[in-house]
Amino acid sequence: MLGCTVSKDPFYADDYSAEELDPDHMRFQVIPGRNWQGSEGTDLFAICHQYVSVGIVNNVG
């Protein structure tokens, strides 16, 4: 796809669970999640739909 823009859509959609082991200790566990979507015309959309993303990105900094 030509002219892709950089996606501002969230890619990571992680969550976590919390379990109280005793009054002084907690266990936190990450539940991984991914957003396999993307706004049309963005690099994320292209990659998620098995296209090659082609665009111009200027690094800041």
Side-chain angles (χ1 to χ4, degrees), residues 16-35:
Y16 72 93
S17 65
E19 176 185 358
E20 186 175 340
L21 301 175
D22 59 55
D24 295 325
H25 297 91
M26 297 282 296
R27 175 184 294 154
F28 295 95
Q29 186 171 8
V30 174
I31 303 167
R34 298 295 178 266
N35 175 22

Side-chain angles (χ1 to χ4, degrees), residues 25-50:
H25 297 91
M26 297 282 296
R27 175 184 294 154
F28 295 95
Q29 186 171 8
V30 174
I31 303 167
R34 298 295 178 266
N35 175 22
W36 297 109
Q37 304 292 318
S39 299
E40 193 166 344
T42 64
D43 54 355
L44 182 57
F45 178 87
I47 297 302
C48 290
H49 288 85
Q50 301 179 352

